[in-house]
Amino acid sequence: DHAMFSSRGCVLLLVSVVHIGSAGAFLSYPLAWGRGMVGVQGASSSRAMRLQSKNQILMAMTDLGLTPELEKMTKQFAMVPDPKMRYQQLLFFASKLPPMDKELQVEENKVKGCQSVVYVHASKDESGKIVFQGDSDSQLTKGLAALLVRGLSGNTVDDIVKVSPEFIKEAGLAVSLTPSRNNGFLNMLNSMKNQALALKD
């Protein structure tokens, strides 16, 4: 759904971003198109710029080895124009992360090298696909854990180990992470890959 608004000479398009699964949806955000009414030429130019941006994002995804769900979420994050909105979306993800079983929050599942306390655990479902659980005492890190849990669960070990950590840059999330949190994200992803490898037949 979308609606046009005009306020103080500024035209806004309110975009409701596509629902991305049963665990939650992207928040709606306002996209400013500039001051004054947008004429036909201006609108065409804006559409062309958005199409070019979308094509650049699609090209950047091809070599990242992403799972289908992780690719979808990465594209949707990349289309959000405001870093603050992407940050808020991570917090929204954190609020939707299913609780992790307390008995799994043990030293063995603790991610080393993280600024926050983070736990991740891998198991296999009936079809032999890998399913993850995760948790953290930091909401931002918990949002990153939720992103990885949703993006990696339901895939094979081979699909999981192919994922490049560079997707965090393509999603536009790296700008919201301090160097220590970025290292924590890398450690989290590597821990999940190693746990998945340990379950490989």
Side-chain angles (χ1 to χ4, degrees):
D1 297 329
H2 63 276
M4 297 290 294
F5 294 91
S6 178
S7 175
R8 296 183 180 177
C10 182
V11 179
L12 302 178
L13 175 65
L14 185 63
V15 181
S16 295
V17 188
V18 181
H19 182 80
I20 54 174
S22 59
F26 268 71
L27 304 174
S28 298
Y29 59 86
L31 174 61
W33 277 12
R35 297 188 179 278
M37 294 300 295
V38 178
V40 174
Q41 182 176 0
S44 299
S45 176
S46 296
R47 283 195 296 271
M49 290 177 63
R50 292 199 303 275
L51 181 60
Q52 181 181 12
S53 176
K54 184 175 181 180
N55 288 337
Q56 289 172 342
I57 292 169
L58 292 175
M59 290 176 62
M61 301 292 162
T62 55
D63 299 324
L64 296 179
L66 302 183
T67 66
E69 181 68 15
L70 195 54
E71 180 176 343
K72 181 169 67 173
M73 290 191 291
T74 301
K75 289 176 183 176
Q76 290 172 331
F77 266 108
M79 296 302 290
V80 177
D82 186 358
K84 291 182 179 179
M85 291 300 297
R86 291 193 290 268
Y87 182 89
Q88 289 177 11
Q89 188 61 45
L90 274 181
L91 299 183
F92 178 73
F93 271 32
S95 71
K96 297 299 181 181
L97 182 65
M100 185 179 191
D101 297 337
K102 289 296 182 181
E103 59 267 26
L104 296 178
Q105 297 182 30
V106 294
E107 191 66 27
E108 175 183 353
N109 293 327
K110 191 174 181 180
V111 179
K112 307 297 188 294
C114 279
Q115 182 179 3
S116 309
V117 178
V118 187
Y119 297 100
V120 292
H121 178 264
S123 59
K124 276 187 175 181
D125 63 15
E126 294 178 354
S127 65
K129 300 293 180 64
I130 303 299
V131 178
F132 288 100
Q133 292 187 56
D135 200 4
S136 175
D137 63 348
S138 160
Q139 288 301 298
L140 176 59
T141 306
K142 189 173 182 178
L144 292 170
L147 178 67
L148 291 174
V149 166
R150 290 182 58 183
L152 299 179
S153 291
N155 292 278
T156 65
V157 175
D158 291 338
D159 288 337
I160 291 168
V161 298
K162 285 191 306 184
V163 172
S164 168
E166 292 298 309
F167 83 85
I168 201 73
K169 295 179 182 178
E170 298 301 332
L173 292 171
V175 296
S176 298
L177 304 180
T178 62
S180 61
R181 289 203 184 279
N182 185 65
N183 287 335
F185 164 77
L186 295 175
N187 291 335
M188 198 186 319
L189 177 59
N190 287 334
S191 178
M192 295 171 83
K193 288 182 177 182
N194 289 335
Q195 287 192 25
L197 281 169
L199 296 173
K200 190 171 184 179
D201 295 329

